[in-house]
Structure formats: structure tokens, C-alpha cells
Amino acid sequence: MRIDAVEVIVTSPGRNFVTVRIITDSGIVGLGDATVNGRELAVVSYLEDHVGPILRGRDASRIEEIWHYLYRGAYWRRGPVTMAAISAIDMALWDIKAKVADMPLYQLLGGRVREGALAYAHAFGTSTEELIAAIQAKLDDGFQAVRIQSAVPGLDGVYGVPHGKSKDNNGAVEDYEPAHRSAKPIEETWNSAAYLRHVPTVFAAVREHFGFDLPLLHDAHHRLTPNEAAILGRSLEPYDLFWLEDVTPVEQQHNLRRVRSMTTTPLAIGEVFNSIHDCYHLVTEQLIDYLRVPPTHGGGITGVRKLMDFAALHQVKSGFHGPTDISPVGMAASVHLDVALHNFGIQEYMQHADVTFEVFSSDVTFANGQLNPGETPGLGVDIDTAAAREFPYEPAYLPVARLQDGTIHDW
Ligand code: CS2
Ligand code: MG
């Protein structure tokens, strides 16, 4: 079976997505997610100008070889753009192979090891009362684990909470999409000290209201120094978090040694990683409990399966990134891995806007707090290419954060 064409579809039903369609000479088509939030067009060019032309005519069944052909053959290795392109090609080739085998993809990964993948929702509020209502709304929707993010007194915009309002015009809780459609990034002001003072009071109020059986997660979003991260982790220990995410940027992986030595709060990191080399020491030294690298960024099914099998040696579990900038195609790839990996931890499930499913279809299901892949051969997803053309790309950028004195800070 030969690769006849590699199509790259950019569409924006609710937010920008980049999707790869590999068309084989047998007519079987595979899909892959290549979305990098805020840098989508860089991946489009990498795929259209440097990947598609060298894949045409190659044997679509040779997934492992093509992975190395694109990784080692590029000479310039790793990075979010390169690896998103490789991830999408890999995902599409696995989609094709499972269609040829007439099986849902998870069967080719060794079959189920669980009946469903525990999912966590996003809940946010500009006040603790609003946050508590938002958590209850997610529990009413069937979720059994919730990530909570709160506004911080004195700051007008904080990661995880929509600017200025958290309800849409119909009073429904607005989905938080951090990438704002604008020609330039919006800017937010940050103050770590105010944040460190406020977050423990939020968890105290939420635990007071919901008790301790509800798994609660929180995302610090790369903003703290290692010492501040240790302070936060320690201050949250009384509230028994499922995990505290991205406590500090980890270009220097050994920075986590200090955090790990000072707090027992479980740590999750990795949504911005794309290679084992981003987290080798985090895993081998057990500096984290959950690894977040999803198939969309970590080299597809091939890359993430290897990564998670390596992580299993060190008792590190998965917690794949699952915001709306992971497309329904990428989410399906994650969920097939979720049910087949022994060292699964939890799956982020932010839920795409309804309009997204005017373009994409997926047989992934959510029930009783768990996600499941369908039984359709392949990934169980499709894209309506005609509908995709109705939603043209619009520039959208993640915010830039500044400290109150104007210094650029990690967003
Ligand atoms: C966040 C993301 O879901 C998360 O854990 O870190 O919302 C992240 O901000 C976006 O995916 C960035 O594109
Ligand atoms: Mg995150």
C-alpha cells in the first residue's frame, strides 16, 4: 500500500486546527492531528513543504521506518513544530493500519486493560462561589475529577479563567479558550506572591464544600520558581490534590529535585514536551508522578507508546494533555492509548465546542466519568473536508504575561 498524497487541512470551527489526511493508493485514508496552538501555520509549512513531498510513494505500512525517516532523516531533530508534524503522520499511518486490520486502534496496542479512562474536567471561577458552582456543574455532567482554576484578587486576567467573564451571553459557563483571535497576543499581568497567598484559600473552601473524595487538580502553568513551587506544593498538602501541574519551567530538569524534596503533593508535567529528552531525568529520578505528553506533540502513537513504556519502568503514569487545542483526532489517539496502557493515570477532557463537530466526527464516548474509544476500525474519527472550508483559519495567539513592573514572565 503506497502513500498517494499527504493533505494538510487548516480549519477553525471554534478554534484553529491542523489535520493531516494521508491518502493511499488503495483508497484507505488516515487522519492525524498537527495542531500547535498559536503556531499552526509553521506546522502546515513543515508538512506541505518538507514532509508530504518526501513521503509520496512510500509504503504506508512501514510506520516505524517512516517515523525514523522523518525524525533522523531531518537532521534537525525535536521541537514542537517538527514533532507535531511527525506526530500527525504517525497517527494517520496507525489509523490506516487499524483500518486495514479492520480493528479499533487500541486492539493493535494490545487490547484493553481497563473498561474506561477516568477523565477530568475544567472548572473555573472569578470568585470561590462561582468556582464551586462550576465544579458542581461538571459533577452534574458526570465528571468524577475536576481541575480547578481561580481568578486572583488584584489580577485582571489569570490562566484558566476567561477575561472579565465566565458566562456566555446565554448565562452558560463559557469554555475557556486561551488563544485569543487577534493579530497580536493579548497581555496579562502576573503576581506570584498574590497567587501563592490565594490558591490555598480556594482549595480550603472547595474541600470544605465537596469534602475529600473528589479528585482535584490544579495547573500552575509554568509560572513559579522552584522554591515558589515548593511553597505552593507544601501549602496544598492539607487539601490532598490528585496533582499539581506545571509548577515550574523545566528546561533544567534538575530544578524539580528541590520541589520534590520539599513537598509530597503529586506533580504532573509535560504538555509542552515532545521528546524523551525533555523528561528523561524527571522520569528516571521519579521527580514527577504523571507525564502529560500527548500523541499530538510527542511523536504520535509510536512516540508516546515508547515514552509511556519507559515511564512505566519508574512508576510514572500518563495524564495526557486534552484541552480544546488537541483536536478530536488527537483526542481519539489519546483515548485509544488510555485504555491500552497499563500505566494510565487520568485523561484531560476540556470538551470541544459544538461547532467543532460540524467539521469533525468521533466515536469517542464519555459516560460515568470515563472516556472510551469506539469500535470503528482505526481511530474512529473523520473530517468533513467541505465543511472544513467553511471555517477559515484566523490568527490566534496565546497571551503574553508580564509582571506588574512590565517584565515579561512565563504565561
Ligand atoms: C493547559 C492548556 O489544559 C492545560 O493543562 O495548560 O490549556 C494550555 O494552556 C493550552 O493547551 C495551550 O495551548
Ligand atoms: Mg496545563
Side-chain angles (χ1 to χ4, degrees):
M1 180 184 299
R2 296 288 163 186
I3 295 172
D4 260 4
V6 177
E7 284 182 3
V8 184
I9 299 169
V10 185
T11 182
S12 195
R15 52 151 302 103
N16 294 316
F17 296 107
V18 180
T19 305
V20 162
R21 282 182 86 238
I22 293 182
I23 302 158
T24 63
D25 58 3
S26 68
I28 294 179
V29 174
L31 296 183
D33 180 21
T35 306
V36 176
N37 203 0
R39 294 297 184 271
E40 294 86 355
L41 299 188
V43 187
V44 172
S45 169
Y46 195 93
L47 284 162
E48 287 183 338
D49 298 327
H50 303 300
V51 171
I54 64 174
L55 288 187
R56 271 194 289 275
R58 301 195 70 86
D59 181 346
S61 70
R62 301 181 73 159
I63 298 177
E64 184 79 14
E65 184 196 54
I66 287 175
W67 197 97
H68 291 278
Y69 183 70
L70 296 178
Y71 180 78
R72 299 170 190 278
Y75 187 74
W76 311 103
R77 298 181 181 186
R78 296 161 58 192
V81 172
T82 302
M83 294 311 293
I86 292 175
S87 298
I89 297 295
D90 183 81
M91 236 179 264
L93 294 175
W94 275 104
D95 190 18
I96 290 165
K97 192 174 280 288
K99 286 174 177 174
V100 169
D102 196 25
M103 294 180 186
L105 176 57
Y106 74 84
Q107 292 290 10
L108 298 192
L109 303 176
R112 280 182 182 277
V113 298
R114 59 185 57 78
E115 298 320 307
L118 175 67
Y120 72 86
H122 284 196
F124 50 78
T126 53
S127 66
T128 302
E129 295 69 29
E130 192 172 281
L131 174 59
I132 285 173
I135 295 168
Q136 188 56 55
K138 291 302 180 182
L139 299 180
D140 296 344
D141 287 348
F143 282 94
Q144 296 173 7
V146 184
R147 186 195 81 167
I148 64 174
Q149 305 292 137
S150 166
V152 175
L155 299 181
D156 63 2
V158 172
Y159 165 70
V161 181
H163 278 251
K165 68 185 178 96
S166 61
K167 288 186 172 30
D168 65 22
N169 300 331
N170 304 316
V173 176
E174 177 186 1
D175 266 350
Y176 173 70
E177 169 46 68
H180 295 256
R181 291 177 190 275
S182 56
K184 292 181 181 175
I186 65 165
E187 298 201 350
E188 295 181 351
T189 303
W190 178 250
N191 179 317
S192 294
Y195 167 76
L196 290 171
R197 285 193 299 271
H198 184 62
V199 173
T201 67
V202 172
F203 274 90
V206 170
R207 281 300 187 208
E208 174 68 27
H209 187 91
F210 291 100
F212 280 75
D213 290 341
L214 174 63
L216 292 177
L217 303 84
H218 180 67
D219 192 346
H221 220 264
H222 324 275
R223 302 191 173 186
L224 304 176
T225 64
N227 194 55
E228 290 168 340
I231 291 167
L232 179 62
R234 186 170 285 184
S235 71
L236 296 179
E237 283 174 12
Y239 308 112
D240 189 21
L241 273 65
F242 182 94
W243 84 30
L244 177 58
E245 178 183 341
D246 282 338
V247 284
T248 188
V250 277
E251 284 91 343
Q252 295 300 332
Q253 294 180 42
H254 63 254
N255 286 346
L256 261 293
R257 290 176 190 155
R258 174 172 180 72
V259 183
R260 198 59 156 181
S261 68
M262 293 178 68
T263 180
T264 56
T265 294
L267 301 176
I269 282 182
E271 68 181 54
V272 297
F273 295 168
N274 49 74
S275 158
I276 178 62
H277 305 295
D278 294 319
C279 53
Y280 179 85
H281 300 291
L282 298 181
V283 171
T284 54
E285 296 181 36
Q286 295 184 328
L287 300 180
I288 57 175
D289 302 280
Y290 299 93
L291 192 53
R292 303 246 308 132
V293 192
T296 299
H297 296 292
I301 298 293
T302 301
V304 169
R305 181 59 193 262
K306 292 174 193 273
L307 188 53
M308 289 315 306
D309 286 348
F310 169 73
L313 299 177
H314 303 279
Q315 301 184 53
V316 174
K317 295 185 177 181
S318 70
F320 296 143
H321 192 212
T324 48
D325 48 289
I326 297 288
S327 84
V329 177
M331 273 301 291
S334 289
V335 176
H336 279 277
L337 279 162
D338 287 340
V339 298
L341 283 173
H342 179 264
N343 55 324
F344 165 80
I346 198 167
Q347 173 64 54
E348 180 174 13
Y349 181 39
M350 190 175 164
Q351 297 179 288
H352 291 101
D354 292 346
V355 68
T356 298
F357 295 102
E358 292 183 25
V359 174
F360 294 92
S361 60
S362 169
D363 68 358
V364 166
T365 57
F366 174 71
N368 306 316
Q370 296 183 332
L371 289 161
N372 265 295
E375 293 301 313
T376 311
L379 281 169
V381 291
D382 204 351
I383 184 168
D384 179 332
T385 54
R389 287 191 287 273
E390 300 302 312
F391 300 91
Y393 168 80
E394 292 182 63
Y397 292 103
L398 292 169
V400 168
R402 290 181 186 271
L403 300 179
Q404 285 162 319
D405 68 0
T407 307
I408 297 271
H409 192 69
D410 298 303
W411 176 74

